[in-house]
């Protein structure tokens, strides 16, 4: 008998390890402590994954498969994937273990040792639920001086014939980013997010998570994520019908108390395997062709999935394991306590952290230009920032989280992923949100106790990293600004920065 191990982010009937499964095989799924706690994942993320796994196991059983499911609180659960496999090999006559490659280097490296440890053939199949294989990405990257997403994206558009006409990209342009930066108007009406039913299985998991993970970050309630493929497809439909039309216009916008905006909220479903990237792209493309969504929205959405998602995965597998240790800017400040408590007077940070805590979700610009921008300009240590992002979001897995954090927000890879650091002062947040209206700081004030901290922290970042960043052609404007500053102005920036961190430290020490 073959043993087929299905991991928590492999909840797809089409996953490589199931393609040739027979009713005689044994399918193993387990909720293990090792994976749930190596970082203390958000409670809602654990509920989502355990409930999704239990529902997926039911689907397999309903199709006649022989499933061995190990619940987290099963007294025999050893807490590790390998030991759970070993436990079954003691009971059944297993000829081979088959698994699809996990999305994390650490676990893949461990699985490569399993064959010796278990004295059994262990076959690790490539995960083919992506549109670009890791080999194809490596071939694309080979001999290129710069690995720019835009170039990769155009090739993917051509290869998969997405939004293409005979003459090139539909509409004549590859990229409508410039149209996708509208500030939010007053009284913008945002539709409610998808609300899945909470059934008995999810209720049981909620009770289990409340009991076993009380010290993990985040709120369990309200819980409305889809936990089956069917419900995830409904969430996708709802996005296309209600939000996609304005996805482009307000892609970068942030509004007080509106965590969901016009984003799709499907990242967690794509990453756990409920949805495939191609079906999301096809659905959005159809909305363009039937006239229900404009090109700037559909192209913007397609670029995220066909471009960014595939690209960051390619970078991860191309550059690991060294990528994780990179810290080119030598940032070392510890993560402030307010990333856990939201107890800060910076309203933008307070909003984004509070929403993260409530929803295990923040949209891209909150992650990038508020939480990430602060981490960059404050010089927070990459390892701590990565741990935070990996555990707080329901869609976070290392293959996608790490390049976004170390590459896109922290510039810790020295510009492999982003051509320049995404550093910005308070003016950006003021333009793209209404957060500043409810803040004790003022985005127009540059120095002193009333000044928006993003203003002096931005210039302190530019000044502090001059030796490393001055030569970057895209940073010329910033360094011209710095060079025009008087010595007094530079001293004021340094003094404000020092005062700001002293105040945080004193506050955190009580
Ligand atoms: C610092 C930081 C950390 C991030 N961590 C994660 C993470 O752990 N997991 C994750 O899936 N995404 C991550 N992202 C990317 C992006 O923010 C999320 O995919 C997105 O916010 C999920 O919400 P959504 O489904 O509403 O996305 P939408 O805005 O509706 O976008 C549609 C889809 O495009 C894909 N996508 C968009 N941007 C990216 C990107 N930069 N990288 C990869 N895929 C992208 C996602 O699958 C997403 O669901 C991170 C971004 C930043 C800046
Ligand atoms: S003033 Fe500064 S700290 Fe306050 S919300 Fe605006 S950008 Fe954030």
């Amino acid at each position: 008998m073959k043993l087929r191990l299905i991991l928590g982010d492999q909840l797809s009937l089409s996953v490589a390890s199931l393609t040739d499964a027979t009713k005689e095989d044994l399918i193993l799924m387990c909720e293990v402590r090792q994976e749930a706690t190596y970082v203390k994942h958000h409670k809602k993320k654990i509920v989502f994954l355990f409930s999704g796994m239990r529902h997926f196991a039911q689907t397999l059983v309903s199709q006649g498969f022989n499933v061995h499911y190990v619940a987290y609180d099963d007294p025999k659960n050893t807490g590790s994937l390998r030991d759970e496999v070993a436990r079954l090999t003691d009971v059944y006559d297993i000829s081979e273990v088959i698994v699809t490659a996990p999305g994390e280097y650490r676990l893949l490296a461990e699985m490569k040792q399993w064959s010796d440890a278990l004295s059994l053939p262990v076959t690790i199949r490539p995960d083919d639920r992506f549109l670009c294989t890791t080999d194809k990405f490596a071939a694309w990257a080979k001999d290129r001086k710069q690995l720019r997403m835009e170039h990769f994206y155009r090739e993917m558009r051509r290869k998969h014939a997405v939004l293409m006409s005979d003459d090139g990209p539909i509409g004549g342009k590859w990229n409508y980013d410039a149209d996708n930066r509208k500030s939010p108007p007053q009284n913008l009406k945002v539709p409610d997010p998808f609300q899945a039913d909470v059934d008995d299985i999810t209720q049981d998991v909620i009770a289990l998570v409340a009991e076993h993970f009380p010290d993990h970050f985040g709120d369990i309630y309200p819980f409305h994520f889809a936990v089956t493929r069917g419900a995830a497809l409904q969430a996708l439909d709802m996005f296309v019908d209600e939000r996609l039309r304005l996805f482009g216009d307000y892609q970068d916008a942030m509004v007080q108390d509106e965590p969901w905006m016009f984003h799709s909220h499907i990242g967690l479903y794509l990453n756990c395997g409920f949805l495939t990237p191609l079906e999301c792209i096809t659905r959005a493309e159809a909305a363009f062709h039937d006239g229900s969504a404009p090109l700037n929205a559909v192209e913007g959405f397609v670029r995220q999935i066909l471009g960014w998602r595939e690209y960051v995965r390619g970078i991860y597998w191309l550059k690991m394991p060294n990528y994780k240790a990179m810290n080119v800017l030598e940032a070392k400040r510890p993560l402030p306590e307010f990333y856990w408590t939201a107890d800060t007077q910076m309203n933008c940070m307070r909003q984004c952290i509070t929403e993260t805590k409530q929803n295990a979700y923040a949209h891209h610009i909150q992650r990038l230009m508020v939480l990430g921008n602060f981490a960059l300009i404050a010089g927070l240590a990459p390892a701590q920032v990565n741990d935070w992002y990996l555990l707080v979001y329901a869609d976070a897995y290392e293959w996608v989280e790490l390049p976004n954090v170390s590459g896109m927000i922290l510039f810790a890879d020295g510009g492999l992923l982003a051509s320049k650091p995404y550093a910005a002062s308070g003016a950006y947040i003021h333009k793209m949100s209404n957060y500043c209206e409810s803040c004790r700081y003022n985005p127009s004030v540059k120095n002193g106790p009333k000044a928006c901290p993003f203003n002096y922290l931005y210039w302190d970042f530019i000044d502090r990293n001059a030796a490393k960043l001055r030569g970057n052609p895209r940073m010329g404007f910033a360094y011209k600004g710095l060079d025009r500053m008087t010595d007094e102005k530079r001293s004021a920036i340094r003094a404000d920065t020092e005062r700001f961190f002293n105040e945080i430290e004193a506050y955190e020490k009580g």
Side-chain angles (χ1 to χ4, degrees), residues 32-182:
V32 288
R33 192 175 53 251
Q34 182 193 43
E35 297 307 314
T37 60
Y38 80 96
V39 291
K40 289 188 166 190
H41 295 289
H42 195 300
K43 293 191 196 81
K44 211 186 286 276
K45 180 180 186 180
I46 304 177
V47 173
F48 165 64
L49 283 174
F50 283 3
S51 181
M53 288 170 70
R54 290 181 186 197
H55 284 88
F56 186 68
Q58 271 195 342
T59 305
L60 291 171
V61 170
S62 71
Q63 300 208 355
F65 288 109
N66 185 9
V67 179
H68 182 89
Y69 194 93
V70 186
Y72 188 82
D73 53 358
D74 180 335
K76 296 204 185 98
N77 187 338
T78 56
S80 105
L81 286 171
R82 195 197 67 186
D83 293 346
E84 284 308 294
V85 173
R87 210 151 65 84
L88 286 190
T89 59
D90 289 345
V91 181
Y92 297 95
D93 184 16
I94 308 281
S95 57
E96 182 188 4
V97 177
I98 299 173
V99 62
T100 302
E104 187 161 343
Y105 190 91
R106 163 195 66 92
L107 190 52
L108 180 62
E110 194 200 304
M111 278 182 180
K112 287 182 177 164
Q113 313 297 319
W114 281 10
S115 196
D116 286 345
L118 299 166
S119 305
L120 258 183
V122 175
T123 305
I124 304 174
R125 295 183 176 172
D127 189 347
D128 57 9
R129 296 172 299 165
F130 291 85
L131 295 165
C132 180
T133 66
T134 49
D135 286 348
K136 287 203 176 114
F137 188 86
W140 172 80
K142 194 166 175 285
D143 301 331
R144 276 174 196 266
K145 275 207 195 102
Q146 291 186 320
L147 304 182
R148 291 290 161 251
M149 199 296 287
E150 189 63 31
H151 302 150
F152 170 77
Y153 167 59
R154 291 179 188 186
E155 284 201 17
M156 292 292 280
R157 285 266 297 273
R158 281 196 200 94
K159 179 156 184 282
H160 294 276
V162 176
L163 293 177
M164 297 297 292
S165 66
D166 291 345
D167 308 330
I170 286 183
K173 285 199 294 181
W174 289 100
N175 183 318
Y176 289 83
D177 235 5
D179 299 343
N180 290 356
R181 292 182 190 133
K182 289 207 173 83

Side-chain angles (χ1 to χ4, degrees), residues 239 247 251 262-268 270-271 301 304-305 308-310 312 361-365 367-368 372 389-390 393 395-397 399-401 404-405 408-409:
F239 163 67
F247 173 88
Q251 196 175 350
F262 292 89
H263 291 266
S264 65
H265 328 133
I266 57 161
L268 72 173
L270 276 164
N271 296 352
F301 180 70
Q304 306 312 313
I305 297 184
W308 279 110
R309 185 169 185 270
E310 298 287 331
V312 298
Y361 177 85
H363 67 69
H364 186 66
I365 293 301
R367 297 188 205 195
L368 178 69
Y389 274 95
L390 185 59
Y393 294 117
D395 54 34
Y397 300 87
W399 65 265
V400 53
E401 171 277 327
N404 272 298
V405 170
M408 199 181 300
I409 66 167

Side-chain angles (χ1 to χ4, degrees), residues 200-474:
D200 289 348
I201 295 180
T202 303
Q203 284 296 4
D204 286 351
V205 174
I206 287 175
L208 179 136
V209 171
E211 183 185 342
H212 291 275
F213 304 93
D215 59 336
H216 283 221
F217 176 78
D219 304 342
I220 294 180
Y221 293 108
F223 187 87
H224 49 69
F225 291 153
V227 290
T228 60
R229 168 168 163 77
L233 280 167
Q234 285 174 24
L236 172 65
D237 279 349
M238 189 172 159
F239 163 67
V240 174
D241 293 345
E242 297 183 8
R243 304 179 117 84
L244 176 60
R245 198 170 50 85
L246 290 176
F247 173 88
D249 284 3
Y250 300 120
Q251 196 175 350
D252 289 5
M254 297 172 281
V255 175
Q256 180 96 7
D257 300 324
E258 291 288 2
W260 308 101
M261 294 302 289
F262 292 89
H263 291 266
S264 65
H265 328 133
I266 57 161
L268 72 173
Y269 308 136
L270 276 164
N271 296 352
C272 81
F274 285 160
L275 299 179
T276 70
L278 201 54
E279 71 192 346
C280 299
I281 290 167
T282 307
R283 191 76 182 75
E285 200 180 2
F288 167 68
H289 288 300
D290 71 20
S292 55
L295 187 54
N296 71 309
V298 174
E299 188 282 314
F301 180 70
V302 163
R303 179 150 27 92
Q304 306 312 313
I305 297 184
L306 187 61
W308 279 110
R309 185 169 185 270
E310 298 287 331
Y311 168 82
V312 298
R313 176 176 183 257
I315 293 280
Y316 178 80
W317 288 110
L318 187 70
K319 296 295 173 186
M320 280 297 278
N322 298 339
Y323 199 80
K324 200 169 174 173
M326 290 183 88
N327 185 5
V328 165
L329 297 183
E330 298 173 82
K332 50 181 183 296
R333 192 180 294 283
L335 191 82
E337 189 59 21
F338 62 69
Y339 270 82
W340 303 111
T341 59
D343 188 4
T344 163
Q345 305 203 57
M346 292 177 283
N347 184 46
C348 53
M349 294 291 284
R350 185 167 63 228
Q351 271 286 307
C352 296
I353 295 165
T354 302
E355 290 171 4
T356 297
K357 190 164 165 287
Q358 287 167 345
N359 304 320
Y361 177 85
H363 67 69
H364 186 66
I365 293 301
Q366 294 178 306
R367 297 188 205 195
L368 178 69
M369 297 308 296
V370 178
L371 301 163
N373 183 21
F374 182 88
L376 171 72
I377 62 183
L380 305 188
Q384 292 190 27
V385 182
N386 271 298
D387 275 359
W388 188 84
Y389 274 95
L390 185 59
L391 73 85
V392 300
Y393 294 117
D395 54 34
Y397 300 87
E398 195 177 87
W399 65 265
V400 53
E401 171 277 327
L402 182 67
N404 272 298
V405 170
S406 279
M408 199 181 300
I409 66 167
L410 296 181
F411 208 70
D413 64 2
L416 184 87
L417 193 141
S419 55
K420 77 177 189 58
Y422 277 92
S425 68
Y428 177 87
I429 297 170
H430 184 43
K431 176 168 180 275
M432 295 313 302
S433 78
N434 61 358
Y435 292 153
C436 304
E437 288 168 20
S438 320
C439 188
R440 84 146 255 220
Y441 299 111
N442 185 335
S444 312
V445 179
K446 309 289 183 216
N447 287 105
K450 280 292 293 168
C452 166
F454 282 83
N455 289 344
Y456 47 79
L457 291 179
Y458 170 81
W459 285 112
D460 186 66
F461 167 81
I462 298 292
D463 196 2
R464 190 170 83 232
N465 290 292
K468 293 194 170 96
L469 297 178
R470 191 181 273 282
N472 182 321
R474 296 198 59 204

